[in-house]
Amino acid sequence: LALSLLPHSFDHTNRSKHRTSPRNRSKGLYNRQENCRTRSQRHGLLRCEQACSTWRQLHVDKLVLLETNIDDTSPQILAYTMEELFSAGGLDVWAAPVYMKKGRPGTLLRVLCETRLAEDLVHVIFKETSSIGVRLQNCERVSLQRKTEIVQTSWGSSVRIKVAKVGDSVVNVHAEYEDCAKVARSENVPLADVFRKATAEYYVNHPDIV
């Protein structure tokens, strides 16, 4: 009875001919997945090529990292020591609180420097602190190309601008703190205003930078 109600043009015996077999469906799914993988691989390769291209434009320095744990030197001595380490050629000097053996609070002092200056900086640490041992690690630092430009602010004072680039593209522009602080004090204006106007002046002088 159910079959007699179907349209005469409907041929249920031929319907199976138009069905996709499980094998064909599986093959179609495989092809779609393969196409997705191929596109993903192409995009991944493109990202890799872009990353490699960027990496080749970066500057890599071979440096030495000095570090020592200190638990019985006053904060005043540590602050002075850090200034001396900068003066002796340290590229970067920083300290962080740590807990040492027996639960004693202490300070982890670290210095990043060129290999040729490592011995002099170790001498400063031994001279100025109670440290009896300094660890040395060879490391590499990846950095952007940098240059310094000078802009004239609306107050008539000059401010140095640090410009960082990857290839020909400017990726970071920052006004020097010391110059901005000097202008802020002499003109009695907020430091943030000096930073903002000095940076804006750089972009005015370089309208090609987006």
Side-chain angles (χ1 to χ4, degrees), residues 20-32:
T20 303
S21 68
R23 181 177 181 181
N24 290 337
R25 285 200 300 270
S26 176
K27 184 177 181 181
L29 177 61
Y30 173 80
N31 289 335
R32 288 195 296 272

Side-chain angles (χ1 to χ4, degrees), residues 124-186:
V124 172
I125 294 174
F126 285 147
K127 175 186 173 184
E128 300 295 345
T129 73
S130 59
S131 172
I132 59 175
V134 177
R135 298 180 292 276
L136 284 75
Q137 302 178 42
N138 293 319
C139 63
E140 293 183 343
R141 181 184 66 175
V142 180
S143 58
L144 300 176
Q145 304 170 33
R146 286 171 283 184
K147 67 175 182 177
T148 301
E149 297 190 20
I150 297 177
V151 299
Q152 294 293 325
T153 65
S154 57
W155 298 282
S157 303
S158 299
V159 172
R160 289 170 294 169
I161 302 290
K162 290 189 294 187
V163 182
K165 303 174 69 176
V166 175
D168 296 327
S169 301
V170 174
V171 296
N172 197 310
V173 175
H174 190 74
E176 285 284 2
Y177 165 77
E178 290 82 3
D179 295 356
C180 292
K182 183 178 179 180
V183 174
R185 292 189 180 103
S186 64

Side-chain angles (χ1 to χ4, degrees), residues 74-111:
S74 74
Q76 293 90 344
I77 297 298
L78 280 175
Y80 176 82
T81 301
M82 294 175 72
E83 293 175 359
E84 291 297 292
L85 289 168
F86 272 121
S87 298
L91 299 173
D92 201 1
V93 183
W94 67 100
V98 295
Y99 279 97
M100 301 169 59
K101 61 184 179 182
K102 300 181 180 179
R104 297 172 182 170
T107 300
L108 173 61
L109 178 64
R110 283 176 166 169
V111 185

